[in-house]
Amino acid sequence: MAITAKYIVLCDEIRVENNGKLMLLGVYTPDMSVPQLPFVIPSLTFFIALESDRPGNVQVRFAIQLLDSGRSIAEGMGAVGFPKPGLGIMPVQLRNLPLQSAGTYVFSLTLEGQRDPITHSFNVILAPPQQVGMMPGMMQR
């Protein structure tokens, strides 16, 4: 079974509407800004679209690593099913993901029977919240 990645979208979470459509909330484009470090991301979801040349179920493993150190911050396993050849959707949602430092992180997805993992990288940037102040030319009473 040959499986290829069509795309991966990083977002906070995914919801399903009454009509079956998916809503991706809090899409990162492409960097993630955090107000402080260390920081815990309450919910982080990788929306993964895969394409298979035949039907079947495939076991998967995933990991997220900080690129500079190679330190793993999350790991897991699961399965993806393809009822027929074509597109299959696989959301991977992580809760309370701890980030200790800024830098480039790599999400890797290893599929059973395939040698090379599918990867997606993203940057975590420290961006303290902006102070709310007066605009120039405004007078204080």
Side-chain angles (χ1 to χ4, degrees):
M1 177 181 287
I3 299 173
T4 56
K6 299 306 282 178
Y7 55 87
I8 297 176
V9 177
L10 183 59
C11 61
D12 289 332
E13 65 181 275
I14 299 170
R15 295 187 186 157
V16 180
E17 293 183 342
N18 290 340
N19 60 9
K21 288 197 261 180
L22 300 175
M23 294 189 315
L24 278 63
L25 304 173
V27 175
Y28 294 98
T29 59
D31 300 329
M32 176 186 303
S33 297
V34 295
Q36 66 186 32
L37 288 165
F39 188 77
V40 176
I41 302 291
S43 176
L44 186 66
T45 305
F46 295 85
F47 180 73
I48 307 163
L50 302 169
E51 190 166 48
S52 177
D53 62 349
R54 65 187 76 140
N57 294 319
V58 177
Q59 298 296 313
V60 300
R61 290 187 332 254
F62 72 86
I64 301 174
Q65 293 180 321
L66 178 58
L67 185 61
D68 290 345
S69 69
R71 191 175 123 259
S72 181
I73 63 165
E75 295 179 349
M77 56 193 321
V80 60
F82 296 91
K84 61 181 183 176
L87 194 64
I89 301 300
M90 181 184 170
V92 174
Q93 184 177 40
L94 304 168
R95 297 272 187 200
N96 300 316
L97 184 69
L99 300 174
Q100 298 298 322
S101 59
T104 301
Y105 288 79
V106 178
F107 171 84
S108 62
L109 181 69
T110 304
L111 297 117
E112 175 186 35
Q114 292 198 192
R115 190 182 64 166
D116 297 324
I118 295 165
T119 62
H120 178 80
S121 61
F122 60 97
N123 295 309
V124 172
I125 298 168
L126 179 59
Q130 298 289 327
Q131 295 293 324
V132 177
M134 293 181 48
M135 295 179 63
M138 293 185 71
M139 295 181 58
Q140 189 174 20
R141 290 187 180 218

